[in-house]
Amino acid sequence: SQDVLSSSQQQRLLQAAGHLDREEDLETSCEQLLQRLQRQARRRWGAFYTPAPLVEFVARRATQLLASDGAAISPKEPVRWLDPAMGTGTFVLAVLRRLAAEAPSASGAHQICGGERMLSAFVVAAIRVAAEFQRRPVGCAALPVFPLQRVDTLSEAFQRGCSPFQVIVGNPPYAANSTNEHAWIKRLLRGRYPGSPVNYYQAGGRPIGERKSWLHDDYVKFFRVAQWQVERAGSGLIAFVTNHAFLDNATFRGMRE
């Protein structure tokens, strides 16, 4: 299913969590809540906590690269960011704060979007983002406009129904026994999707020939979707925390191309 959380709904969620004044308290309480509510679901979908220093590093490098090569993306339209598996919103918040701190006058030239299919994680992300907006002093520069959606971002309905994203960030799930079996992502991985001939199952124009392949892992699917988004946008960057096996494992020869 796909649900968009409106600003009024975010405000109601924030009021429900109003006794948590500090972001640290909110994040801790949220993680404890998720551990209780959807422990099995998180394990099944390969969704795990990302340490704050690592999140900050990714957000910092992405904004730095964007600042140095931003003209190659699009100076005329807002830069669209996507965390396709945002969890509790940690990367969304890190990017939002980094943009507001480094280029407050230009923060409105960015749109940060987040998608998450676990309901409890999605609600937590909405609470944290609403709290971030409430903490902003009156008169501060506007923060980037963005929607948060409860959605499976690997679904064709989501990917085809949105404008291209130029910057894709986050820590996509690791799940060798993936439950994401959308027919369209299988076609995309094999270069059978119209206008996107990139084929992870071929290297040098020939099939990789692996009897056992790890290309069905969820993080590979998210990588391919991120690549497809950049293809659609014409240029962009991908800033993922991910499994390093694709760097030298023979199975991933096509992916490395």
Side-chain angles (χ1 to χ4, degrees):
S1 62
Q2 178 171 320
D3 305 300
V4 178
L5 200 69
S6 68
S7 57
S8 61
Q9 290 173 317
Q10 291 184 21
Q11 188 62 33
R12 288 197 294 272
L13 287 169
L14 176 60
Q15 291 171 354
H19 64 286
L20 298 172
D21 296 325
R22 298 190 307 151
E23 166 65 15
E24 295 83 357
D25 295 334
L26 185 58
E27 182 175 3
T28 299
S29 298
C30 290
E31 282 299 324
Q32 291 173 348
L33 175 65
L34 285 181
Q35 288 295 332
R36 293 196 303 269
L37 289 180
Q38 289 196 326
R39 182 176 302 171
Q40 292 183 348
R42 297 182 86 185
R43 185 179 299 114
R44 182 174 69 253
W45 290 339
F48 298 100
Y49 173 75
T50 309
L54 186 54
V55 176
E56 289 298 324
F57 171 79
V58 172
R60 183 175 67 254
R61 288 297 295 143
T63 53
Q64 288 172 346
L65 288 170
L66 192 61
S68 62
D69 296 327
I73 292 182
S74 175
K76 298 180 180 179
E77 299 179 359
V79 177
R80 287 171 52 79
W81 298 65
L82 172 67
D83 182 346
M86 70 175 176
T88 59
T90 304
F91 280 91
V92 169
L93 285 168
V95 170
L96 188 153
R97 292 166 183 162
R98 178 66 57 178
L99 290 172
E102 293 186 355
S105 62
S107 62
H110 298 264
Q111 294 179 352
I112 308 174
C113 307
E116 175 56 49
R117 67 175 182 170
M118 282 196 297
L119 177 60
S120 56
F122 168 72
V123 170
V124 167
I127 293 173
R128 295 180 67 194
V129 170
E132 182 69 20
F133 274 86
Q134 183 165 322
R135 292 189 188 98
R136 297 284 293 176
V138 176
C140 280
L143 293 173
V145 177
F146 60 92
L148 302 181
Q149 299 186 46
R150 186 193 170 209
V151 62
D152 181 354
T153 55
L154 290 182
S155 67
E156 184 175 14
F158 172 80
Q159 293 293 335
R160 294 192 64 182
C162 61
S163 300
F165 294 97
Q166 294 103 327
V167 187
I168 301 89
V169 299
N171 183 0
Y174 313 85
N177 297 317
S178 174
T179 60
N180 286 301
E181 295 297 330
H182 300 295
W184 96 277
I185 189 63
K186 292 181 179 179
R187 297 198 304 274
L188 193 65
L189 284 168
R190 294 181 178 274
R192 297 173 182 170
Y193 196 79
S196 187
V198 176
N199 187 347
Y200 282 10
Y201 285 82
Q202 286 188 353
R206 303 180 63 181
I208 59 174
E210 301 286 334
R211 299 188 65 180
K212 185 175 183 180
S213 166
W214 298 107
L215 292 171
H216 56 272
D217 196 303
D218 273 349
Y219 89 89
V220 177
K221 295 176 182 177
F222 278 98
F223 236 118
R224 182 65 188 97
V225 165
Q227 182 182 10
W228 182 67
Q229 284 291 344
V230 172
E231 290 172 357
R232 293 177 66 206
S235 61
L237 64 91
I238 301 170
F240 274 167
V241 176
T242 190
N243 192 320
H244 63 77
F246 76 94
L247 294 174
D248 53 19
N249 192 302
T251 295
F252 302 98
R253 300 193 303 280
M255 182 178 176
R256 288 193 292 272
E257 289 186 351

